[in-house]
Amino acid sequence: MKTTLQSGNAAAVEAELLVVFTTDAATGKDAKPEIILLTDEGGIKQASSPFLGTGEFSSNSNETLLLHAPQGLKAKRLLLVGLGKAAKATFHDVRKAAGTAVRFAKPRKLRELAVLAPAGSAFDPAATARAIAEGAILADFDPDTYRSDRKDQSIQSLTVVAPKTAETGFNEGVIIAESQNFTRSLVNEPGNYLTPAIFGKKAAEMAREFGLKCEVYGAEKLHELKMGAFWSVAQGSDEPPALIVITYEPESVPEGPVLGLVGKGITFDTGGISIKPSDNMEKMKYDMAGGAAMIGAMRAIAQLKPAVKVIAVVCATENMPSGKAQKPGDVQIAMSGKSIEIINTDAEGRLVLADGLAYAKQLGATHLIDAATLTGAVAIALGQLNAGAFSNDEETYQRFRNAVDRSGERFWRLPLDEDYRDLIRSDIADIKNTGGRYGGAITAAMFLKEFAEDTPWIHLDIASMAWLDDTKPWTAKGPTGVGMRSIVEWVRSFSR
């Protein structure tokens, strides 16, 4: 998609479709909608006004109204997209509305879009232009990669009409959204086309393209580093594991923190000997979404160039049942020296992350963040509207909380009280890899906390939101790339 920021009069923009946002200014439960066009341009108001009082459009969130051959405009069509109530509308609503416009245009074979940034004191120009770019680019993604009758409905050009002062925000939005789509494309790949080795190859290709240092190691390195937890998962598969390490160093390296991004990269998860039910197992190709989020974040970081060193560690392997696979009851020794009793081989993500966290610290990370499709329990706790977040450090978590406010993603913090550690005590080893039926997302986080130790650390359990089962007005079903935007903003907060 070709993306352009253009200032000036939107009525003079030639496009197949011009998109303008609206809000409902009416107050009161039963009040008649009072539709406000978020523009000062008289030509657009004149073209739209005859249709705003008919009752066929109420400016509800992501509601649309298409006008053909709008009088006085050079665009062939005018699309009004609602942001909902004026008092509640934010640039996060603009992101979704821009996505709605693209999803509206794609099946109608409209390939050239112009989007007018909303006017008004409630909408910062830079943040709004960024939101439009993000929403539009993310909405252009479709997961039907391998269909033989696939019809390319991609948007060819996007013009955002906004003040020149919005240019930085707009450029950031393009970078972040394209990196999130890169993340989604990795998650979307089937396990036979994205083995751990291929995952490492794709990470290395991305790193070369954007000037990052990347090293991809195999089983020998795991043995050299004594990564017994990581290897215990990998040993059951015929596919060799990949330890992916990507490093970003700013041109002028300031004294300060080194950020470690650790991702779970299980390219297919059968559950191992504790095998999963066959229903929906095909989705377990997405069990590397945390690792993909870290690689996508590094793609964005390389272009945004924050003044902080960042090291990403992705532990990639399959979790397969075989004569070589680990068994329930086995004891494994992690890189840190801790012994782990294996209760359930399907609790494998925390095992690879345990060694990933330890290795990130060995490489010099002073602050850690990990992301993983770790537990089904987090979906039971939070549904599919929030992902789980955990932390052992208040200042570090507050940085993440502020990052979420900027990214527009949804995370909910869950507790890490020390009492939960009793649930993962083992009779034969230091800890065990599951804590029983209750509080499963929390006991998984407590397990990881053992390996973060005193290093400031955040854990993101994205299992509930990494895959969207139903199409939304603003995005396709399938991989979401969740977490990537928030991780990037968290990294940038150290640069600020």
Side-chain angles (χ1 to χ4, degrees):
M1 182 193 296
K2 178 183 177 182
T3 55
T4 307
L5 182 75
Q6 179 176 323
S7 57
N9 194 331
V13 174
E14 295 184 9
E16 292 181 329
L17 184 69
L18 173 64
V19 180
V20 176
F21 301 114
T22 70
T23 57
D24 177 10
T27 57
K29 182 178 178 180
D30 299 318
K32 182 180 178 182
E34 182 184 339
I35 299 169
I36 305 298
L37 284 167
L38 296 179
T39 177
D40 297 325
E41 293 193 27
I44 294 175
K45 289 182 177 180
Q46 186 175 356
S48 307
S49 58
F51 305 94
L52 298 183
T54 63
E56 59 186 302
F57 179 72
S58 302
S59 196
N60 294 326
S61 295
N62 305 301
E63 183 182 359
T64 58
L65 177 65
L66 178 64
L67 307 179
H68 288 273
Q71 189 174 1
L73 306 186
K74 286 197 173 181
K76 295 178 181 178
R77 301 164 188 82
L78 176 64
L79 182 70
L80 306 183
V81 185
L83 302 181
K85 292 293 183 182
K88 297 181 179 180
T90 70
F91 65 90
H92 298 310
D93 298 299
V94 173
R95 182 187 296 106
K96 287 185 176 180
T100 297
V102 168
R103 299 302 297 180
F104 180 94
K106 282 166 68 74
R108 292 169 174 82
K109 300 181 181 179
L110 304 176
R111 301 290 175 255
E112 297 176 356
L113 268 68
V115 182
L116 176 59
S121 58
F123 298 98
D124 173 75
T128 305
R130 170 178 160 170
I132 292 170
E134 287 177 352
I137 293 169
L138 293 173
D140 201 34
F141 178 92
D142 278 301
D144 58 343
T145 310
Y146 292 102
R147 290 190 62 165
S148 59
D149 61 347
R150 187 176 194 266
K151 297 178 177 63
D152 185 4
Q153 297 182 338
S154 300
I155 301 300
Q156 294 175 357
S157 70
L158 169 71
T159 300
V160 176
V161 183
K164 189 69 174 174
T165 54
E167 185 172 11
T168 298
F170 171 77
N171 291 336
E172 289 178 355
V174 172
I175 290 169
I176 290 170
E178 289 180 346
S179 296
Q180 188 171 343
N181 277 350
F182 174 74
T183 299
R184 296 164 82 189
S185 69
L186 291 173
V187 178
N188 197 49
E189 286 291 278
N192 60 326
Y193 289 155
L194 193 79
T195 63
I198 296 173
F199 197 11
K201 181 180 178 181
K202 287 181 178 290
E205 289 171 351
M206 181 281 294
R208 282 194 298 272
E209 181 180 356
F210 293 98
L212 297 167
K213 179 182 177 183
C214 181
E215 297 166 294
V216 182
Y217 302 107
E220 289 185 5
K221 186 70 170 181
L222 272 59
H223 295 313
E224 176 190 326
L225 294 170
K226 298 183 179 179
M227 286 184 162
F230 185 179
W231 175 248
S232 74
V233 181
Q235 70 185 53
S237 175
D238 287 339
E239 293 288 346
L243 174 60
I244 305 165
V245 182
I246 306 173
T247 305
Y248 163 79
E249 291 197 54
E251 293 181 6
S252 172
V253 182
E255 290 290 332
V258 176
L259 308 183
L261 279 53
V262 182
K264 172 186 174 183
I266 305 298
T267 59
F268 195 81
D269 182 18
T270 68
I273 296 298
S274 307
I275 197 163
K276 295 176 180 290
S278 59
D279 287 351
N280 293 316
M281 194 194 283
E282 73 279 359
K283 289 182 181 175
M284 288 302 99
K285 68 178 187 177
Y286 96 131
D287 212 19
M288 37 62 70
M294 295 310 182
I295 294 172
M298 293 300 287
R299 184 185 187 278
I301 288 163
Q303 297 172 80
L304 295 170
K305 301 187 183 305
V308 61
K309 183 176 179 179
V310 187
I311 303 168
V313 176
V314 176
C315 301
T317 183
E318 293 180 335
N319 185 26
M320 300 290 286
S322 74
K324 301 181 297 179
Q326 68 175 332
K327 307 168 295 295
D330 285 359
V331 172
Q332 309 292 357
I333 308 300
M335 181 181 175
S336 68
K338 288 185 185 292
S339 57
I340 304 165
E341 180 186 8
I342 305 303
I343 302 299
N344 187 328
T345 65
D346 194 23
E348 86 297 332
R350 64 202 73 181
L351 297 175
V352 303
L353 288 174
D355 284 345
L357 290 166
Y359 190 45
K361 289 196 296 179
Q362 186 182 102
L363 293 174
T366 60
H367 295 71
L368 297 166
I369 189 167
D370 74 68
T373 48
L374 204 63
T375 69
V378 77
I380 302 301
L382 300 176
Q384 292 184 301
L385 296 176
N386 281 275
F390 303 81
S391 183
N392 65 354
D393 182 78
E394 293 304 313
E395 180 183 350
T396 302
Y397 181 76
Q398 191 54 51
R399 284 181 179 273
F400 182 74
R401 178 62 259 173
N402 294 338
V404 168
D405 290 341
R406 289 190 293 273
S407 74
E409 296 183 316
R410 297 175 70 174
F411 286 88
W412 190 264
R413 190 178 186 183
L414 293 167
L416 274 179
D417 301 343
E418 194 61 27
D419 292 344
Y420 286 106
R421 193 186 185 282
D422 291 339
L423 299 176
I424 58 170
R425 293 187 188 276
S426 168
D427 294 333
I428 192 173
D430 294 328
I431 53 176
K432 56 187 179 181
N433 77 326
T434 62
R437 178 180 179 185
Y438 299 108
I442 298 171
T443 54
M446 287 299 297
F447 181 95
L448 296 178
K449 185 182 177 185
E450 293 287 308
F451 301 91
E453 298 180 312
D454 295 331
T455 304
W457 157 78
I458 293 168
H459 162 55
L460 305 179
D461 191 338
I462 60 173
S464 59
M465 297 185 68
W467 193 271
L468 188 64
D469 290 325
D470 300 305
T471 297
K472 301 293 184 183
W474 58 88
T475 192
K477 66 180 179 181
T480 64
V482 69
M484 195 225 77
R485 295 205 308 268
S486 298
I487 292 163
V488 169
E489 291 302 327
W490 181 76
V491 167
R492 296 179 76 198
S493 74
F494 287 87
S495 179
R496 297 189 184 97

